[in-house]
Amino acid sequence: MSLLDLITRRNTASLLAVLLALGASGCSGLLGLLPEPVHVDRIRTAAEQEYRRCDAEPIDPRVFGSGVVESVTPLYRYVQTGSNREARLHGAELRLHPLPGMTAELMMRTLSCRSARLVLGRVEGSPNEPYWLPDGWVKIDVRSDDGSFVVALEGEDLPEAKDVLARAQAFRAAQ
Amino acid sequence: MPKTSTRTPFCGALACVLLMTPLAGAQEPATPPSAPAPPTAPVSPPAPAQASVIAPPASASLPPTPVPPAANAEAPEKPSEPFAFGDFSWLNGANRQSKAILDTPAFTGSFLLDVNYTASAANPIDNTVVGSTALSRNNEVTLAFVGFGGDFHVDHARGRLMTQFGLRSTIVPRNDNSANRGQFDLSTALRYISEVNGGYHWDVLHGVNLDAGIFMSYIGLFSYDNFENWMYLPSFTSDNTPWFFNGLRLQIFTSDKLKIEPWLINGWQSYGKFNEMPGFGAQILWRPVEWFSFNSNDYVGWDTQDAPGRMRFHTDNSVEARYFRAEKPGAIFSKAAFSLTGDFGGESGDGVVPWGGTGTEYHCSTTTPCTQQFASWMAYNRFWFFGDHFAWTTGGGMMHNPGRYLVLAPTGNASPVPQPLNVAPASQPFDMSPGTQFDAFDYETGFQYMPDEHTTWDLEVNHRQASVPYFAGHGGVTSPDGYTTTTTPKGWAPDLVKGDTRIIVALLVRF
């Protein structure tokens, strides 16, 4: 007997039973297909990042200071939703003063290393330093723009994005 | 910190909503929240990472050049982006995605795919679904919609193009009789475009946009893009109200919580105009907090062929509330929300009145007008599970439409849609005259599996019931054997029935 037969015969009880069974088996079967948790294992990721990004040379601590922060703006990504293109808050965008000898790639390595070490507790950050979160993970991207560095700091979800932005603004205000 | 707008309301009719905006701002901090306390002590580190050290680049250690001091002058703060202060991915009729795959400073791309399979208890011999704009073919895998395009945005100029292929390029334009007015075949010219508009953006308030072209309507809450909806087959309140408008819209974001959007359009989901007057309308979208959304759409137009004095009005109002959200990401029971929508409208003039009519079918006149109104509601509840990867939605609604002016016309030999002179009319058209009656209800439940931000698998069961024979019965609406190539003998009639029960399976992909 097919599902269609059940519907055709209007056997409501049988139909409900089949639907419940389908739903239950579907749910249990699909559980195996559930993707990995969205949130990263921050300690493991930090350890991997430290291994890949950090080197033995000391870094001038002014790179991490608030003094180089020129401005802080919200970091938005855009999606089409309904009849509009809507912004989604993802974190903060910091514009940093150009630094002698520093390239975007090197800045990316430096900040990523810093972030990993802050998460792992190997160094102590200044208050509200936005390159890490005490209980989250900050994705860092750096590009050059008109001689400055633009650092995109992205949280994993909206609460983290708000945290990152608030910390970055407080960090900038502490100058 | 972005400011909540406290500008003076500029329109008396909207004053209460505008005045509530600053209050709404007080309920929840605008983006971003106030600065947090200094971070807590770092977590205990694990064993040190492997000692292998990358060779330092030559410039790893900075020369002792002084770092330039930070600029003291604060740059003017840009107003916060509308509705970005909260996570509205739970809303019915909104995109749950957090970012587009292809997003550049000049272009944000989109690709949509919608494939469905539906099986009706009646199993009509012509595999045809009657009374839906989401479903078209029965017992067949159907490419309902595939479209690609995106948004162009350069400086203040903006544009959107979304193509439309698949069955929806037929089943939606067929409901628009305005294309029969005059020449140049509007339906053919425009059926493969679901949205195309261009306009200009002003950095005023939290943004003001003026767009012209074809744009989506949100009368009836559900989105035209099924990827954004809680259910695949919406209730009558959504299915029987417009999916698009052709004209102008002005979007005014008075704050990051409120949009006011007046329209000047050709008509009620029409490519052209039925009469001389255009249609007027507006949308008010208010999201004061992350867990609540209010949407009102209001319309006035003249949308009846050969009845220039017949005015249509319609109000559509929806509230949506998320009443539960788990604190822990990935929780087994992660979210719960409901939506409630109520519509009321009517037509007045040229032999009909919105209420209190004394006429009967075929005897509607200005002295004995017939009642022509639309009253409906729909309600849905949705539970999300396993970190929002599963969802279970249940809902339904009712509609009351004397005069049947918003009933979706049956197709085939039951079609009352006027045909060009070179096309044979239907042999037994469904009666949609003033003075007729139509009442219907539906209920449905369904599961959605959303393995990622781009994919939705949908399984649902739906039952619809009408007060008159309306849905496709086993005999179908085409011909004795179900084919359009078979002549219908004298006396043959489409098989319309009062009830329709079906299962729906759909795959929805969006990039």
Side-chain angles (χ1 to χ4, degrees), chain B residues 304 310 345-348 352-355 370-374 401-405 433-435:
Chain B
T304 309
R310 186 175 299 172
E347 292 195 325
S348 181
V352 301
V353 288
W355 49 78
C370 294
T371 299
Q372 198 124 306
Q373 65 174 228
F374 182 86
N401 187 206
R404 300 182 182 174
Y405 66 95
S433 308

Side-chain angles (χ1 to χ4, degrees), chain A residues 16-94:
Chain A
L16 284 175
V18 169
L19 284 176
L20 282 174
L22 273 176
S25 60
C27 285
S28 56
L30 288 170
L31 280 181
L33 302 178
L34 282 178
E36 289 293 307
V38 174
H39 280 62
V40 299
D41 180 339
R42 57 196 295 271
I43 300 299
R44 195 175 72 179
T45 308
E48 289 170 358
Q49 185 156 294
E50 183 186 42
Y51 174 76
R52 286 187 289 110
R53 300 285 188 177
C54 299
D55 49 49
E57 285 295 306
I59 299 295
D60 187 325
R62 287 174 298 177
V63 172
F64 316 120
S66 61
V68 298
V69 180
E70 223 173 277
S71 64
V72 174
T73 53
L75 172 65
Y76 292 117
R77 307 275 189 221
Y78 292 86
V79 295
Q80 179 67 25
T81 177
S83 61
N84 291 299
R85 179 172 170 265
E86 258 182 29
R88 307 277 200 248
L89 182 69
H90 277 247
E93 201 165 75
L94 279 62

Side-chain angles (χ1 to χ4, degrees), chain B residues 153-228:
Chain B
H153 32 81
V154 177
D155 297 330
H156 291 266
R158 48 192 255 127
R160 174 160 178 78
L161 165 68
M162 272 306 291
T163 54
Q164 166 176 265
F165 301 97
L167 267 293
R168 276 196 138 183
S169 62
T170 295
I171 59 177
V172 173
R174 76 172 285 272
N175 294 312
D176 174 18
N177 298 344
S178 76
N180 292 327
R181 187 183 189 193
Q183 303 299 315
F184 306 124
D185 199 354
L186 288 174
S187 288
T188 302
L190 299 174
R191 70 172 64 251
Y192 300 111
I193 293 168
S194 63
E195 284 176 274
V196 61
N197 58 70
Y200 194 83
H201 169 85
W202 286 271
D203 288 324
V204 179
L205 302 171
H206 286 248
V208 173
N209 306 316
L210 178 62
D211 300 318
I214 296 176
F215 54 90
M216 286 294 119
S217 147
Y218 277 80
I219 293 183
L221 185 64
F222 278 64
S223 170
Y224 187 62
D225 174 12
N226 270 318
F227 183 88
E228 300 184 346

Side-chain angles (χ1 to χ4, degrees), chain A residues 7 30 33 35 50 52 55 57 59 76 78 80-85 88 90 97 100 119-120 158 162 169 175, chain B residues 32 43 45 54 56 60 69-70 81 85-87 95 97-98 121 151 160 218 228 251 259 390 449 451 510:
Chain A
I7 297 172
L30 288 170
L33 302 178
E50 183 186 42
R52 286 187 289 110
D55 49 49
E57 285 295 306
I59 299 295
Y76 292 117
Y78 292 86
Q80 179 67 25
T81 177
S83 61
N84 291 299
R85 179 172 170 265
R88 307 277 200 248
H90 277 247
H97 287 300
V119 169
L120 295 171
L158 185 65
K162 286 182 172 180
Q169 288 173 326
Q175 285 178 5
Chain B
V43 294
I54 301 169
E81 290 274 356
F85 69 89
D87 175 6
N95 189 354
Q97 294 174 317
S98 60
D151 292 276
R160 174 160 178 78
Y218 277 80
E228 300 184 346
Q251 299 183 314
K259 178 181 75 169
F390 284 97
Y449 169 52
R510 180 173 192 163

Side-chain angles (χ1 to χ4, degrees), chain B residues 358-379:
Chain B
T358 55
T360 56
E361 188 177 6
Y362 307 124
H363 300 94
C364 304
S365 67
T366 50
T367 50
T368 58
C370 294
T371 299
Q372 198 124 306
Q373 65 174 228
F374 182 86
S376 74
W377 63 268
M378 62 178 182

